[in-house]
């Protein structure tokens, strides 16, 4: 089964609003990564947060990590129509192995 | 740098046919992997490699073979195609884990495979 699971599966908002999506995982991790996928394209790396970090910012993106709850959230502020995409979290298995697994993704639609 | 390239972009196979999906990267990455993505779903790891001559199975390896004879290339072979293998296949690469943690993955554009 997948290590990470995103919630919600789909999200529709108006341009200018904030979008929040969550990722829960099962085992201990070394870091957690967020990726974006535009329709019909490959995934693009957005941000990486290490297990000893609690919050990280990159432009309009804010990622938090709560290792006690085994969860992370991605916040996109002041969303734009161009943010319409699917967003995935990716986690490793801590020290157990070399696999990097992805969740099912959140499909975000930003209406102009 | 071309980054991660995949060929072909599209492929239609008949059940039972075999084929090889090509993946190459020019970033000198040690770690390479193959994922499949089914409609409306996330990515599932098929096989991965931490360097030339070293490969290992992911979550869904059945029906697929890989080899890693060079750092740059990581082909995925479908031995006997089945309709259940209809999917979009992505190749990714990165530098090896740093301090035990995975690095940023670079993805190819994908190969859309249909098995009739």
């Amino acid at each position: 089964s997948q290590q990470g699971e995103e919630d919600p599966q789909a999200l529709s908002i108006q341009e200018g609003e904030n979008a929040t999506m969550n990722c829960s995982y099962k085992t201990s991790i070394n870091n957690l990564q967020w990726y974006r996928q535009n329709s019909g394209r490959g995934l693009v790396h957005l941000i990486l947060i290490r297990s000893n970090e609690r919050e990280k910012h990159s432009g309009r993106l804010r990622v938090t990590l709560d290792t006690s709850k085994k969860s992370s959230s991605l916040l996109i502020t002041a969303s734009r129509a161009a943010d319409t995409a699917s967003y995935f979290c990716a986690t490793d298995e801590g020290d157990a192995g070399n696999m990097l697994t992805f969740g099912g993704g959140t499909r975000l639609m930003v209406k102009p | 740098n071309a980054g991660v390239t995949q060929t072909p972009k599209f492929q239609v196979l008949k059940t039972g046919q075999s084929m090889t999906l090509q993946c190459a990267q020019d970033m000198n990455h040690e770690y390479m992997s193959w994922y499949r993505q089914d409609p409306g779903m996330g990515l599932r790891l098929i096989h991965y490699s931490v360097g030339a001559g070293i490969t290992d199975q992911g979550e869904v390896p059945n029906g697929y073979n890989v080899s890693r004879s060079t750092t740059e290339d990581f082909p995925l072979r479908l031995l006997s195609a089945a309709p259940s293998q209809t999917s979009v296949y992505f190749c990714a690469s990165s530098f090896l884990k740093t301090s035990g943690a995975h690095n940023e993955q670079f993805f190819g554009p994908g190969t859309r495979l249909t098995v009739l």
Side-chain angles (χ1 to χ4, degrees), chain B residues 12 20 22 26 32 38-39 50 52 60 72 79 85 96 98:
Chain B
V12 178
T20 299
Q22 301 292 344
D26 60 359
M32 296 186 74
D38 299 306
V50 297
V60 289
E72 294 79 17
L79 308 173
Q85 293 179 304
L96 272 182
T98 304

Side-chain angles (χ1 to χ4, degrees), chain B residues 11-79:
Chain B
Q11 183 71 49
V12 178
L13 292 178
K14 295 181 180 178
T15 296
Q17 288 185 316
S18 62
M19 78 159 295
T20 299
L21 280 63
Q22 301 292 344
C23 174
Q25 52 89 13
D26 60 359
M27 296 173 281
N28 207 29
H29 287 163
E30 302 94 347
Y31 186 87
M32 296 186 74
S33 55
W34 277 102
Y35 293 87
R36 60 175 288 173
Q37 184 177 33
D38 299 306
M41 295 183 66
L43 282 73
R44 290 185 290 170
L45 181 64
I46 304 172
H47 285 286
Y48 63 95
S49 167
V50 297
I54 305 170
T55 63
D56 210 340
Q57 297 181 348
E59 303 170 271
V60 289
N62 292 341
Y64 307 94
N65 273 357
V66 291
S67 60
R68 185 94 181 271
S69 56
T70 67
T71 299
E72 294 79 17
D73 300 298
F74 191 43
L76 177 72
R77 296 184 187 84
L78 279 70
L79 308 173

Side-chain angles (χ1 to χ4, degrees), chain A residues 1-3 30-31 33 35 37 39-45 48 50 88 92 94-95 97-105 107, chain B residues 31 35 37 40-45 48 50 57-59 90 96-110 112:
Chain A
S1 61
Q2 290 171 322
Q3 163 77 307
N30 290 306
N31 66 34
Q33 303 179 41
Y35 288 80
Q37 183 182 35
S39 181
R41 311 290 289 273
L43 278 72
V44 174
H45 183 263
L48 180 154
R50 303 195 183 283
F88 297 89
D92 60 17
D95 295 328
N98 285 306
M99 293 205 298
L100 183 68
T101 57
F102 287 76
R107 293 185 301 282
Chain B
Y31 186 87
Y35 293 87
Q37 184 177 33
M41 295 183 66
L43 282 73
R44 290 185 290 170
L45 181 64
Y48 63 95
V50 297
Q57 297 181 348
E59 303 170 271
F90 290 100
L96 272 182
K97 295 169 80 172
T98 304
S99 301
H102 273 287
N103 290 300
E104 171 187 353
Q105 302 294 306
F106 291 81
F107 280 83
R112 283 150 186 78

Side-chain angles (χ1 to χ4, degrees), chain A residues 62-104:
Chain A
R62 173 180 167 245
V63 168
T64 61
L65 180 64
D66 187 335
T67 54
S68 66
K69 295 181 179 178
K70 292 187 170 60
S71 68
S72 174
S73 67
L74 170 67
L75 168 68
I76 303 174
T77 60
S79 63
R80 305 166 182 168
D83 294 328
T84 294
S86 291
Y87 293 82
F88 297 89
C89 67
T91 56
D92 60 17
E93 301 171 289
D95 295 328
N98 285 306
M99 293 205 298
L100 183 68
T101 57
F102 287 76

